Amino acid sequence: MLDKSRLRIAMQKSGRLSDESKKLLAQCGIKINLQEQRLVAFAENMPIDILRVRDDDIPGLVIDGVVDIGIVGENVLEEEVLDRQAEGQNPQYKKLRRLDFGGCRLSIAAPRDEKYEGLQSLEGKRIATTYPHLLRRYLSEKNISFKTCLLNGSVEVAPRAGLSDVICDLVSSGATLEANGLVEVQTIYQSKACLIQREGDISAEKQALIDKLMTRIQGVVQARE
Ligand code: PRT
Ligand code: ZN
């Protein structure tokens, strides 16, 4: 059993945010051995347990109060919040701060050889995405109706495979779009990794530890600017 008196931090186990998350915690002076393929790692020098999970699970773990803190992309967080709201829930969490890594944008991209003349061109089109709620929020504000094709991977091949007309996916360098004959036509959301805390009562000891970590993170981030 996990010791509830220890601060629980969830981070991505392996993926684009895991190295930077690990580095940030190490630079805050938390001594952890993350070598093993374990779900939970225990800090040696502070009352902290690190849970290493899929990034998609992190917002829910924080919102449900299973962990105290999470490091996750704003894109994944916001999509989870919108998903829960759509189900009639009222998801709560505290955003402690934005971090200086994991930067990307969620963009609509269309096949290079298709004519695109502004958002109106998307009316009635089928859009492949992993982020249906962020996409719907953006396009409904613009009064554009569309159909979705929900994919959790390989979104960039959907138009070529005949699954959708256009896509809405994360972009950083743009190389993936380019390699798949797609052109970015509209950015709908800018994202970075962020640090979130669960809502609700927390012991004074845990809160003091969070405050100490926040001060250290501030120092680490400032030093890299
Ligand atoms: O296994 P797990 O579920 O934990 O990981 P995952 O595969 O779902 O996520 P992962 O590791 O790919 O990304 C984690 C987080 O990193 C995302 O939620 C974003 O917040 C952030 N991030 C930053 C990115 C990118 N940059 C990024 N470029 N996430 C994904 N991409 C993908 C994008 O989907 C596309 O396939 O990279 C490709 C495009 O990259 P460029 O450089 O070719 O434009
Ligand atoms: Zn994921």
Side-chain angles (χ1 to χ4, degrees):
M1 265 304 274
L2 281 177
D3 179 351
K4 283 199 173 159
S5 69
R6 292 168 66 88
L7 187 73
R8 289 186 196 170
I9 305 179
M11 59 169 261
Q12 190 186 25
K13 183 166 190 189
S14 71
R16 286 187 162 82
L17 303 181
S18 45
D19 283 350
E20 289 284 356
S21 302
K22 218 187 306 182
K23 194 167 106 192
L24 183 69
L25 297 179
Q27 287 177 327
C28 286
I30 307 175
K31 284 211 174 76
I32 26 174
N33 182 1
L34 291 179
Q35 299 299 74
E36 301 154 74
Q37 287 302 303
R38 284 228 178 132
L39 169 67
V40 191
F42 306 98
E44 295 162 15
N45 58 340
M46 291 185 216
I48 296 175
D49 294 339
I50 311 287
L51 267 90
R52 300 152 75 219
V53 294
R54 294 278 309 264
D55 68 342
D56 316 73
D57 294 335
I58 296 173
L61 288 169
V62 174
I63 291 166
D64 293 335
V66 178
V67 301
D68 301 302
I69 304 277
I71 303 174
V72 70
E74 290 168 328
N75 52 313
V76 172
L77 171 64
E78 195 68 15
E79 182 69 19
E80 177 72 20
V81 166
L82 292 173
D83 186 51
R84 288 187 178 223
Q85 286 171 342
E87 285 177 8
Q89 298 178 34
N90 180 23
Q92 300 289 320
Y93 67 92
K94 285 182 228 169
K95 188 155 179 179
L96 295 174
R97 67 166 294 150
R98 234 184 170 198
L99 295 166
D100 61 350
F101 59 87
C104 57
R105 53 197 189 272
L106 185 61
S107 291
I108 297 171
R112 198 182 289 135
D113 43 17
E114 292 272 318
K115 204 156 85 194
Y116 178 82
E117 291 165 331
L119 285 176
Q120 281 307 326
S121 309
L122 299 173
E123 182 63 39
K125 290 275 165 68
R126 188 172 295 279
I127 310 181
T129 191
T130 314
Y131 298 91
H133 293 289
L134 283 169
L135 177 62
R136 187 162 305 283
R137 180 172 72 182
Y138 182 84
L139 287 181
S140 62
E141 273 170 13
K142 315 277 178 199
N143 288 317
I144 309 277
S145 54
F146 66 101
K147 291 172 277 199
T148 41
C149 163
L150 189 60
L151 291 176
N152 284 310
S154 308
V155 175
E156 66 281 358
V157 303
R160 235 186 318 137
L163 300 176
S164 72
D165 301 300
V166 301
I167 69 164
C168 173
D169 200 11
L170 298 175
V171 184
S172 43
S173 69
T176 303
L177 294 183
E178 171 80 35
N180 286 281
L182 299 165
V183 179
E184 193 173 357
V185 295
Q186 181 70 49
T187 296
I188 70 161
Y189 188 81
Q190 294 276 0
S191 181
K192 277 197 169 179
C194 68
L195 206 61
I196 53 174
Q197 179 179 338
R198 69 173 171 82
E199 271 293 353
D201 291 346
I202 200 151
S203 71
E205 292 80 13
K206 274 192 185 182
Q207 192 55 56
L209 183 53
I210 294 171
D211 295 345
K212 182 163 97 177
L213 291 177
M214 289 307 294
T215 307
R216 290 188 179 180
I217 290 171
Q218 179 65 23
V220 169
V221 171
Q222 242 166 26
R224 324 199 256 226
E225 267 171 14

